[in-house]
Amino acid sequence: MSSTQKKKYLRTLFWIVAAGIVIVGIQQLISHQAAAPTPADTDKTTQAVGKPALTVEQVKPQRTMMHQTIIANGSVAAWQEAIIGTEVNGLAIKEVLVNVGDTVKRGQVIARFNDSTIQADLAQAQANVAEAKAAMIEAEGNAQRARSIQDSGALSKQQVDQYLSTEASTKARFQSAQAAWDAQNIKRTQTLLLAPDNGVISKRDATVGQVVSSGLELFRLIRLGRIEWRGEFNAENISKVQAGMAVKLTLPDSSQITGKVRTLAPTADSNTRNTLVYVDIPNQQARPGMFAKGEIQLAAAETNTLPYSAIVMRDGFNYLMQIDDSHHIHQIKVTLGNREGHLVEILDLPDANANYVASGGAFLSDGDLVRIAETAAH
């Protein structure tokens, strides 16, 4: 091998060895980086050994005398609503004397119909009565004379029977004519539409010139002006409601009125399972059709309470953050009752002797570890 070839060989060998050294160094560097812990791994390791997620104060439930309040929703409605229609057929309305909101008295005329045809028919019926009465009087005279001489033989028995028969038939015709006159007179009185009771007009469909048919609704009347609230109470609370209880209603404008329970429906709705409670209310601010929230306050009773700050709302439900002996969190779903001041009633508290997070529970999750604040003294 010549010296030139030897130099080329040595140079090639040098670069091969150098490349191998570089590759080995890169592999060692990659292995070292893969083995090095990341910040996230460090946090996980720290948490695994028990790093608290939050420092909290703990509180125990307390027994508190609290007024029990039943809350229900419902609508304001008329106590009774009378439908006022017409009994005449084919007559035009001549005059409308009331409007919506007017207060009327029993027997007050609220509308008049055109009675010209009724008056004509009434005059005809009266003439028929007079004619039938005259014929009856004549027949009665003839029959009376026939009775007086029937034993003398001046009239045959057939003639006497004819006079008596004529008397009976004319009496029947008179009674028929009198009945027809009475019917026409009733129709005449029906051309005046009267209020059936004291109350307030709540609806008016009658217009002047309107030709109506028998039975058509023309007005609606809130009888005696009385209104009521019909509250829907669930099966849990309906057993606590009794007639005579006071009910505080909150109207849409936030004003409040007080009513009294009149009666309870004997059955519950098959769909909602709620029972209607009828409450008499003053006819002042409330109007039929309004929505209102009702509250019935019961006697005070001792119950489990916690500060309202301990309640955590998630997904439309209420939760408590219970702290176990190892200071871990257990999220407990609860149902709230009445609230007075900063305290709230817990209806289904699972453990009245447990400790719960007093505030800040919204930042915790089930299973979190917490540190108990030294200043907590509950």
Side-chain angles (χ1 to χ4, degrees), residues 53-57 307-315 317-322 329-332 356-366 368 370:
L54 194 67
T55 299
V56 299
E57 293 185 4
Y308 193 75
S309 58
I311 305 300
V312 177
M313 294 190 64
R314 288 177 178 169
D315 302 324
F317 298 99
N318 298 299
Y319 297 92
L320 290 174
M321 297 301 173
Q322 182 177 332
I329 294 296
H330 299 281
Q331 181 174 281
I332 308 298
Y356 299 91
V357 175
S359 62
F363 300 101
L364 298 172
S365 299
D366 195 68
D368 283 351
V370 296

Side-chain angles (χ1 to χ4, degrees), residues 283-317:
N283 189 1
Q284 297 172 352
Q285 299 159 282
R287 296 289 182 272
M290 278 186 176
F291 171 84
K293 183 180 75 172
E295 297 180 7
I296 299 179
Q297 192 172 84
L298 306 178
E302 194 176 47
T303 185
N304 290 315
T305 61
L306 280 169
Y308 193 75
S309 58
I311 305 300
V312 177
M313 294 190 64
R314 288 177 178 169
D315 302 324
F317 298 99

Side-chain angles (χ1 to χ4, degrees), residues 82-84 104-108 110 194-198 221 223:
I83 297 176
I84 306 174
V104 298
K105 296 184 178 297
R106 180 193 296 269
Q108 179 179 333
I110 59 178
L194 307 179
D197 201 353
N198 299 339
L221 174 74
R223 293 189 60 199

